[in-house]
Amino acid sequence: MYQYDFEHWWLLWWDQDYSWEGLAKKWWQGWIRFEDGSVLPNPGNNQDQLDNKGHYPGRHRLANLQDYWRQFVSEDELLKFRFTHPDSGEEQVRTFSPIHFPTFDKNNRLISNDHKWFRRREELIAQALGASMASQYWVSNRGPMMCFDGRAQLQGISAGHFNAKHFLKNKSEDGGREENPISVYAKHSHWSQIDFSDRTLSDDTEINCSWIRSANFRSTTFAGRVNFNNSYLSY
């Protein structure tokens, strides 16, 4: 059952397309990108100002997940992966960031077990978590709606191992929690091992539709309803 589910999960992951090109097609909610490459939140999220191509007039446009990861990943780090499509039999090439490079191919063969990338992936996760900020909401007649997403955008990552205590502030000496709770959006993410023990996860954290082979949440504080919907977790 585990083997079948794991194979099926990876097929679904490939269908979502978290390649470098695929990230450019995924909206980073509530952010805009300027011509110089900088990104800023757009709390107003004024959709009525967009042109018919979905862009803001002039020198900026809606930001996407490729814009997000350009803050942490250089072009020199991008990795190419050549594979045979299991259905069409065609040779294809996709480019990935180090943190999105797949662990398994579409035929469920291990393709990424290079330890030199483990540390870099941990660093990228830590950088993304360190850059996260509180998301902003506005209240509508349908309830709170997110204006911009300040969470670490970890959708589709193939993380390997991540131990928060190696990178993030632990409990203070007086027993209090770290100053900034961990705020993550990690849909469709794959983790070999994740350790958020003695940390606080914010109430907007989502690690849904993900595969987590080993997890440690000992003494973790959940500051609200953390979303693990449709994820496989083992401890």
Side-chain angles (χ1 to χ4, degrees), residues 3 24 48 63-64 73 76 91 126 135 142 153 193 213:
Q3 184 71 16
D48 58 339
N64 55 54
V73 175
D76 294 339
E91 290 289 325
S135 301
R142 293 182 294 175
Q153 302 293 304
Q193 185 178 53
R213 299 188 65 176

Side-chain angles (χ1 to χ4, degrees), residues 19 21 41 45 60 70 126-127 130 179 196:
S19 66
E21 297 81 7
N45 208 11
H60 52 281
R70 283 184 183 278
Q127 289 172 353
E179 293 179 2
F196 283 145

Side-chain angles (χ1 to χ4, degrees), residues 75-92:
E75 293 277 352
D76 294 339
E77 291 184 283
L78 298 181
L79 304 167
K80 291 188 180 297
F81 175 59
R82 187 181 301 275
F83 64 98
T84 301
H85 195 282
D87 297 326
S88 66
E90 295 180 355
E91 290 289 325
Q92 298 184 358

